[in-house]
């Protein structure tokens, strides 16, 4: 983990993106760096990947802090925010992207799987949001949770994660109301099929023929598999001045996957 360096804050806005060593989180952290933010890059296990993201962010002109922690531990959100506060003295954007689950039928889910998923997805989001509030004091702030369309549709072996994401979305609605008077905008984004390591893992365990077969099927429908950068752009929009009028919204960005058709 990169140690928090002493010294005055740069005055630039600051974004903390959880799960940003790869996938949507990585793309989001780098986009904020490109747009003039300093960034806190969070990871659980892939330290080298997180350091690589931080290096790219610095090349874009950002100051980057790498923070490590397993978000199923209820003490970790507070520690991460303390590191951000010590380094930058502020937080303007929180992107809760990290998730963890077991891709299994609900009949095979154990108490350990349930605890892991709910702590990582639901508990950490609420604790991070609570801790972000004082770091956003005195300025407009933005909190974005990365949900998924499995909260709306049945996806093979996604029952547990879909339930966690549905809870996440309800927290977004309530937090948007509670934090509105503090001018903190709270929303979520619901991606569809995104070309990430997590999606590939799901396909290998849950789709006949694995990711290649899945990609070949979906590839015939333009936009139905989106890139992490596309989702990052939507997250950045919700945190921009143009997006501040959007509050408590769970924005579907799924390439049309959930559209009904006949």
């Amino acid at each position: 983990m990169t140690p928090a360096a002493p010294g005055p804050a740069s005055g630039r806005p600051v974004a903390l993106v959880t799960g940003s060593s790869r996938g949507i989180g990585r793309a989001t952290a780098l986009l904020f760096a490109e747009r003039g933010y300093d960034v806190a890059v969070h990871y659980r296990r892939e330290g080298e990947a997180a350091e690589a993201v931080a290096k790219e962010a610095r090349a874009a002109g950002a100051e980057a802090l790498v923070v490590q922690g397993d978000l199923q531990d209820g003490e970790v959100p507070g520690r991460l925010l303390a590191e951000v506060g010590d380094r930058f003295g502020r937080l303007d954007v929180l992107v809760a992207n990290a998730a963890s689950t077991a891709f299994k039928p609900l009949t095979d889910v154990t108490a350990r799987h349930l605890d892991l998923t709910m702590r990582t997805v639901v508990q950490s989001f609420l604790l991070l949001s609570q801790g972000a509030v004082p770091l956003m004091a005195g300025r407009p702030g933005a909190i974005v949770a990365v949900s998924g369309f499995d909260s709306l549709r049945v996806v093979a072996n996604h029952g547990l994660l879909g339930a966690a994401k549905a809870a996440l979305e309800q927290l977004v609605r309530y937090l948007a109301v509670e934090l509105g008077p503090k001018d903190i905008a709270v929303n979520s984004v619901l991606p569809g099929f995104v070309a990430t390591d997590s999606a590939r893992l799901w396909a290998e365990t849950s789709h006949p023929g694995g990711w290649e077969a899945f990609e070949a099927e979906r590839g015939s429908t333009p936009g139905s598999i989106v890139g992490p950068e596309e989702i990052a752009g939507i997250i950045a929009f919700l945190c921009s001045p143009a997006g501040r009028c959007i509050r408590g919204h769970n924005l579907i960005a799924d390439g049309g996957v959930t559209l009904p058709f006949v």
Side-chain angles (χ1 to χ4, degrees):
M1 181 177 66
T2 302
S10 68
R12 291 157 53 100
V14 176
L16 165 61
V17 184
T18 66
S20 47
S21 64
R22 59 182 182 168
I24 293 171
R26 174 185 180 276
T28 302
L30 292 177
L31 182 57
F32 276 110
E34 292 168 4
R35 295 191 177 183
Y37 283 70
D38 291 334
V39 294
V41 178
H42 163 261
Y43 75 98
R44 181 176 59 141
R45 290 182 300 193
E46 299 183 358
E48 289 187 9
E51 291 289 354
V53 174
K55 183 177 180 180
E56 286 191 57
R58 293 177 190 123
E63 184 175 350
L65 170 69
V66 178
V67 292
Q68 187 278 334
D70 187 341
L71 287 170
Q72 69 172 309
D73 182 343
E75 300 298 317
V76 166
R79 176 173 61 76
L80 298 183
L81 289 163
E83 291 185 47
V84 170
D86 289 345
R87 178 67 168 266
F88 300 111
R90 63 187 288 173
L91 182 66
D92 299 83
V93 168
L94 167 65
V95 180
N97 169 69
S100 184
T101 194
F103 294 123
K104 295 177 177 290
L106 287 175
T107 50
D108 293 340
V109 165
T110 67
R112 182 177 64 84
H113 297 140
L114 180 64
D115 190 55
L116 166 69
T117 301
M118 292 300 175
R119 284 177 179 269
T120 304
V121 176
V122 182
Q123 175 181 275
S124 74
F125 173 64
L126 182 55
L127 295 178
L128 285 165
S129 297
Q130 290 171 342
V133 171
L135 289 174
M136 294 180 175
R139 299 177 310 281
I143 298 173
V144 179
V146 178
S147 186
F149 82 103
D150 50 0
S151 68
L152 305 174
R153 298 286 188 270
V154 174
V155 181
N157 294 334
H158 260 254
L160 179 54
L161 186 58
K165 296 292 191 177
L168 188 75
E169 292 167 21
Q170 192 69 341
L171 288 175
V172 162
R173 296 183 184 97
Y174 276 83
L175 285 169
V177 173
E178 292 184 15
L179 300 183
K182 300 179 184 296
D183 201 14
I184 298 175
V186 187
N187 294 286
S188 75
V189 175
L190 284 69
F193 295 113
V194 184
T196 63
D197 291 344
S198 179
R200 292 181 179 91
L201 175 62
W202 165 79
E204 293 303 325
T205 59
S206 307
H207 187 79
W211 176 257
E212 288 187 4
F214 177 78
E215 190 174 32
E217 291 173 14
R218 289 286 171 179
S220 62
T221 305
S224 64
I225 296 180
V226 301
E229 294 77 13
E230 294 174 85
I231 304 302
I234 293 168
I235 292 170
F237 167 72
L238 289 172
C239 300
S240 71
R244 292 203 60 77
C245 63
I246 303 173
R247 305 288 177 107
H249 188 61
N250 296 304
L251 178 61
I252 299 171
D254 65 356
V257 169
T258 57
L259 284 174
F261 65 92
V262 294

